[in-house]
Amino acid sequence: MNSITKETRKESFEKLELKKKCKLIYEQLGSGEYTARELAIKMYNTKDKEGKRLLRTAERQETAPRLTELVDLDLVEVVKKKYDEVSGCSVAVYKRK
């Protein structure tokens, strides 16, 4: 297999995973309101049918970029700000539209 084929296969795989994670995040938002960190912790502590965690870590970086994408797709909205004790900053709170 040549390098171009390997590269395009990897790109396709990454796109599929991205869509899967966006879908999981959208589903986990449900009717609640969460910061990216709160949602990451919730998803890390939630297991699928096979007993595997939904996320590899409870870090906010697992959810924050996907939440931004969902906002850009007009599926999720920022509803308010909340103080995050870990970062010491105000952060966005998200909910499904």
Side-chain angles (χ1 to χ4, degrees):
M1 184 180 298
N2 68 34
S3 64
I4 293 173
T5 305
K6 287 180 183 178
E7 188 176 311
T8 56
R9 184 171 49 167
K10 182 180 179 216
E11 289 170 1
S12 295
F13 176 77
E14 289 171 350
K15 285 182 183 178
L16 287 173
E17 288 301 307
L18 174 68
K19 290 178 185 176
K20 180 180 174 185
K21 191 178 277 190
C22 278
K23 183 179 177 187
L24 273 174
I25 288 170
Y26 184 76
E27 290 170 355
Q28 288 298 307
L29 276 171
S31 60
E33 296 179 353
Y34 301 94
T35 67
R37 186 180 314 283
E38 290 168 343
L39 189 57
I41 291 168
K42 176 187 180 200
M43 292 178 71
Y44 178 74
N45 291 325
T46 302
K47 295 183 180 178
D48 65 12
K49 295 175 187 175
E50 299 171 359
K52 296 178 183 177
R53 295 181 187 274
L54 295 181
L55 293 178
R56 294 176 293 148
T57 71
E59 296 295 319
R60 68 170 290 284
Q61 191 58 27
E62 290 280 343
T63 56
R66 305 297 83 80
L67 285 166
T68 300
E69 291 172 4
L70 289 167
V71 167
D72 290 344
L73 292 170
D74 207 30
L75 297 171
V76 170
E77 63 185 335
V78 176
V79 291
K80 61 185 172 185
K81 293 190 295 187
K82 183 176 182 178
Y83 181 76
D84 179 55
E85 293 185 13
V86 175
S87 67
C89 299
S90 290
V91 296
V93 177
Y94 300 88
K95 79 170 201 167
R96 283 167 55 167
K97 283 192 167 182

